[in-house]
Amino acid sequence: MSEKPVLKLPKTLSEKILVALSILFLLGIYGIIIVNWSEIPDRVPTHFNFAGEPDSWGGKWSVLILPIIATFLFKTLFIIGMFPHIHNYPVEVTQENAEGLYRISRKMLITMNFFLTFFLAIGAWEMLTVAQGNEGLGMWYMIGMLVSIFGTMGYYMYKMFKLRKK
């Protein structure tokens, strides 16, 4: 088995923008929780069924679950994205295709990170909204999240397969 080349590739402008937006989503949801803390009821929804209806409830501190998960996932994917030479690829990595594969893999992780922080921030906001007696987002939230995550993976995997050695 050959060693994958280690390349230092600067982030593109679009990657920097997606990372910045992800951080803004994280900071925003923590900010919303802090600002509204006194108005959050003692009982908040902690889980929604596929139709978007709450089917499990928890205490006030439960509103921090999704932001904490989002923060953990953001940090993990951000760090993993810094080392594309250790990623698993669906095609063989060669000197010729390494730069392209690494860029695609990093962009996939950054894009998935963006969608995860976006949808987890929306989920936390929905918890607050429903806890205060308002209507939730329904099934479109879950559909949007699943299509975004799996669509991103499929799109970037397709791009990787196009780079395979002919």
Side-chain angles (χ1 to χ4, degrees), residues 135-161:
E135 192 171 322
L137 298 173
M139 69 178 172
W140 295 108
Y141 167 77
M142 185 60 70
I143 290 170
M145 183 169 76
L146 292 173
V147 167
S148 297
I149 299 300
F150 289 108
T152 298
M153 283 192 294
Y155 172 74
Y156 286 108
M157 293 297 279
Y158 169 76
K159 287 183 78 160
M160 286 182 199
F161 278 115

Side-chain angles (χ1 to χ4, degrees), residues 1-2 16 35 43-45 61 74 95 102-103 142 153-154:
M1 181 169 118
S2 64
K16 291 175 184 178
V35 167
R43 185 173 175 249
V44 298
W61 286 91
F74 173 81
Q95 286 290 343
Y102 292 179
R103 287 187 186 281
M142 185 60 70
M153 283 192 294

Side-chain angles (χ1 to χ4, degrees), residues 20 28 33 52 60 82 84 90 97-98 113 119 121 134 144 163:
I33 291 170
K60 184 176 190 170
M82 294 168 52
N97 69 7
N113 216 352
F119 281 103
N134 300 312
L163 277 182

Side-chain angles (χ1 to χ4, degrees), residues 93-158:
V93 178
T94 64
Q95 286 290 343
E96 294 79 31
N97 69 7
E99 180 178 347
L101 285 173
Y102 292 179
R103 287 187 186 281
I104 291 169
S105 182
R106 185 177 67 198
K107 181 74 175 233
M108 178 177 71
L109 287 174
I110 289 171
T111 304
M112 288 177 59
N113 216 352
F114 166 77
F115 282 126
L116 284 169
T117 55
F118 174 74
F119 281 103
L120 289 173
I122 288 176
W125 174 81
E126 185 174 26
M127 287 173 68
L128 293 172
T129 303
V130 172
Q132 294 171 341
N134 300 312
E135 192 171 322
L137 298 173
M139 69 178 172
W140 295 108
Y141 167 77
M142 185 60 70
I143 290 170
M145 183 169 76
L146 292 173
V147 167
S148 297
I149 299 300
F150 289 108
T152 298
M153 283 192 294
Y155 172 74
Y156 286 108
M157 293 297 279
Y158 169 76

